[in-house]
Amino acid sequence: MMTLANGPLRVDLKLIAEMVEPGARVLDVGCGEGALLDWLGRNRGVDGRGIELSMEGVSAGVGHGLSVIQGDADTDLKDYPSGAFDYVILSQTLQATHEPRKVLENMLRIGRHAIVSFPNFGHWRVRAHLLFRGTMPVTDTLTYQWYDTPNIHFCTIRDFLGLCDALNVRVDKAIALDRDGRVLPLPRAAGIANLFADQALFVLSRET
């Protein structure tokens, strides 16, 4: 298990870390306290930057010696120059943005690759919960009650692939994870993965 000074990396962050090339220029959007940036800096030698909405996260990241500033994915990505990064990462945050489409467009404008992970609202347990209980589900990846959640744009794997098609985005790699962090096959049709994956991770680039 990959470990940091302040604990283990979350399973999706572990997979993301393995995808980033050594020495790359990286922007981590919604970086929290900077766990991924810290690991990438120490193990991949990346030139890492982070933006984080909460001042607590920014303070913690800066306290760890990381280059983290306060910022909002919805409003601040437009200020970055095109092609400034090799990888722009958005982990478990897309569903909390106000304009996911614009966020993804800006990620692919300022980075050669965008890496996105998100909870899959199409999981069968989520569907069953809505069907039989009639209430919004709380799961390992959707941990908030409906009245205090920061998540405002839930999506399924199929929804996300539809957005990629609409934006003419190339899917370079797709990984689905079950609730225990095991990797599931994720074919382009995404039928089985959309039903059984707890979360998904995509590496994207612009069609040339």
Side-chain angles (χ1 to χ4, degrees):
M1 177 181 291
M2 295 181 183
T3 57
L4 297 159
N6 58 346
L9 275 182
R10 206 173 62 211
V11 61
D12 64 310
L13 296 184
K14 178 179 181 293
L15 290 167
I16 290 170
E18 293 169 348
M19 296 173 179
V20 175
E21 297 173 0
R25 299 165 299 162
V26 175
L27 177 65
D28 188 0
V29 182
C31 64
E33 297 183 357
L36 178 61
L37 284 174
D38 180 63
W39 192 95
L40 288 172
R42 290 188 291 108
N43 295 277
R44 288 284 197 269
V46 305
D47 178 7
R49 303 283 186 271
I51 65 173
E52 167 58 30
L53 189 60
S54 74
M55 273 309 301
E56 293 84 357
V58 173
S59 297
V62 171
H64 291 139
L66 303 172
S67 179
V68 178
I69 62 172
Q70 187 174 30
D72 187 326
D74 281 301
T75 58
D76 295 326
L77 290 182
K78 69 181 188 310
D79 297 326
Y80 285 86
S82 298
F85 299 95
D86 297 306
Y87 298 91
V88 181
I89 298 167
L90 187 72
S91 57
Q92 302 295 326
T93 305
L94 183 68
Q95 72 280 357
T97 62
H98 289 275
E99 298 185 87
R101 178 176 180 138
K102 287 186 178 180
V103 169
L104 190 57
E105 286 177 323
N106 272 315
M107 290 175 66
L108 288 162
R109 178 184 61 80
I110 65 180
R112 288 195 302 118
H113 302 282
I115 303 179
V116 181
S117 68
F118 57 89
N120 174 35
F121 205 68
H123 190 281
W124 73 267
R125 291 181 185 274
V126 173
R127 303 186 197 200
H129 190 110
L130 285 167
L131 178 63
F132 294 111
R133 297 190 183 183
T135 60
M136 290 298 289
V138 176
T139 69
D140 292 340
T141 52
L142 299 167
T143 57
Y144 295 91
Q145 296 289 343
W146 69 269
Y147 49 80
D148 62 5
T149 180
N151 300 319
I152 54 178
H153 283 108
F154 294 114
C155 73
T156 70
I157 293 173
R158 279 184 169 172
D159 288 327
F160 186 78
L161 287 170
L163 177 59
C164 291
D165 286 342
L167 296 178
N168 197 29
V169 169
R170 184 173 65 222
V171 177
D172 297 319
K173 190 168 186 177
I175 296 174
L177 299 170
D178 68 12
R179 65 186 306 185
D180 297 317
R182 293 186 295 255
V183 175
L184 302 172
L186 207 171
R188 189 66 177 87
I192 296 299
N194 198 45
L195 193 59
F196 290 103
D198 197 51
Q199 56 183 306
L201 190 158
F202 290 85
V203 183
L204 311 170
S205 60
R206 278 289 185 189
E207 292 281 6
T208 56

